Amino acid sequence: MTAPRPSPQADDVSHDITRLLRRLSDEGGDAGLTLDEVRDRLDERAYGLLILLLSIPCLVPGLYGVPQVVGVIVILLAAQMLVGREEPWLPRWFLKLRAKGSWLKAMADFAESKLGWIDRLSRPRLRRFADGPGEKLAAIFMILATATIVLPLTNTVPSVALALLSVGLIQRDGLFVIAGAAVTTAWLTILGAVGTGLLMGAEWATRWLPG
C-alpha cells in the first residue's frame, strides 16, 4: 500500500533557508528522501530552493560541462514558473533519485556555516517583486541569466544572479530579486558590448585584408 503524499505546506516565510534544510535533514533521517519527497516538502518555494541548489555548483569559475547540464534544468523550472505551474515538474526518473541522509545533513551543515548571511540579510519585503507577477518577471531574468551559462568561462556571474533571484523567491524578498535582475542586466550588457566590439573589430580588420 502506497503511503499518502504529504499535503502542500503553506507559504510560511518564517522558516528561513537554514531551518528549511535542517528540517529536510531531520525528516529524512538515515534513509534520506527521494527528490519527489523533497519537492513535496518545499511548499510554494520549491522553485526557488531547487534553483538555488542547482546554482551553487555553477559558481565555480571556469567550470565546463556541469553548468551546461544544470542550465537546461534551471530553464525548465523557470519556464514552468513563467506559465504559472504551481508545482515543479521534473522527469519521473529524476524524482525517484534518493538524496542520502548523510548528504542532506552535509547540506544543512553547509547552509548553517556558510549561508547564514542569507538569513540575516533577507526578509519579506517589497513582495510585489517576489510574488505573483514579480515571480514571473524573476523567472524571465533566470532564463536570461541561465542562457549565458552555456558560454565557456562565463558561468560564475550568471550563477550569482540566479542565487540572488532564487533567494528572493524563497524569502519573498523583492530586494534580492531586484539585485539578481540588476546583475543579470549588467552581465548581458557587458556581453553585448564585448560581442559588438568583437564584431566591429572583425569588420574593421577585414577591410585591411588583401583583395
Side-chain angles (χ1 to χ4, degrees):
M1 183 175 179
T2 305
R5 293 167 66 93
S7 58
Q9 307 257 355
D11 185 24
D12 182 4
V13 294
S14 64
H15 294 297
D16 56 36
I17 294 173
T18 55
R19 288 180 182 174
L20 190 61
L21 295 177
R22 180 58 65 189
R23 177 163 60 85
L24 289 176
S25 175
D26 292 342
E27 291 181 2
D30 294 334
L33 298 168
T34 65
L35 296 183
D36 193 19
E37 292 170 333
V38 170
R39 182 187 62 176
D40 288 338
R41 286 164 169 78
L42 294 182
D43 59 56
E44 294 181 10
R45 293 173 294 169
Y47 284 107
L49 187 55
L50 285 173
I51 292 174
L52 175 62
L53 294 178
L54 289 169
S55 68
I56 290 175
C58 298
L59 292 170
V60 179
L63 190 64
Y64 187 76
V66 173
Q68 287 70 27
V69 175
V70 166
V72 174
I73 302 175
V74 171
I75 289 177
L76 177 63
L77 292 171
Q80 293 177 62
M81 288 173 51
L82 190 58
V83 299
R85 185 179 176 88
E86 292 186 3
E87 184 180 64
W89 176 89
L90 290 168
R92 177 53 53 183
W93 64 266
F94 184 80
L95 292 174
K96 287 183 178 180
L97 297 177
R98 179 171 292 275
K100 297 180 180 179
S102 58
W103 184 83
L104 291 174
K105 182 179 183 301
M107 184 175 64
D109 291 341
F110 173 82
E112 289 176 350
S113 62
K114 303 296 185 181
L115 301 181
W117 64 271
I118 292 177
D119 295 324
R120 291 193 297 271
L121 296 180
S122 62
R123 61 182 183 275
R125 56 188 163 185
L126 301 175
R127 291 187 61 146
R128 63 183 177 276
F129 295 105
D131 202 0
E135 187 175 59
K136 296 182 184 298
L137 187 61
I140 293 174
F141 279 102
M142 284 179 167
I143 292 172
L144 292 173
T146 306
T148 68
I149 287 180
V150 300
L151 301 175
L153 305 177
T154 64
N155 51 281
T156 300
V157 175
S159 297
V160 170
L162 280 178
L164 291 171
L165 289 163
S166 57
V167 167
L169 296 183
I170 295 167
Q171 302 292 65
R172 297 293 186 248
D173 190 337
L175 190 58
F176 267 70
V177 172
I178 293 171
V183 171
T184 302
T185 302
W187 181 237
L188 292 175
T189 301
I190 292 171
L191 288 181
V194 171
T196 301
L198 291 175
L199 289 174
M200 292 180 64
E203 182 181 356
W204 178 85
T206 56
R207 296 176 181 176
W208 292 90
L209 293 176

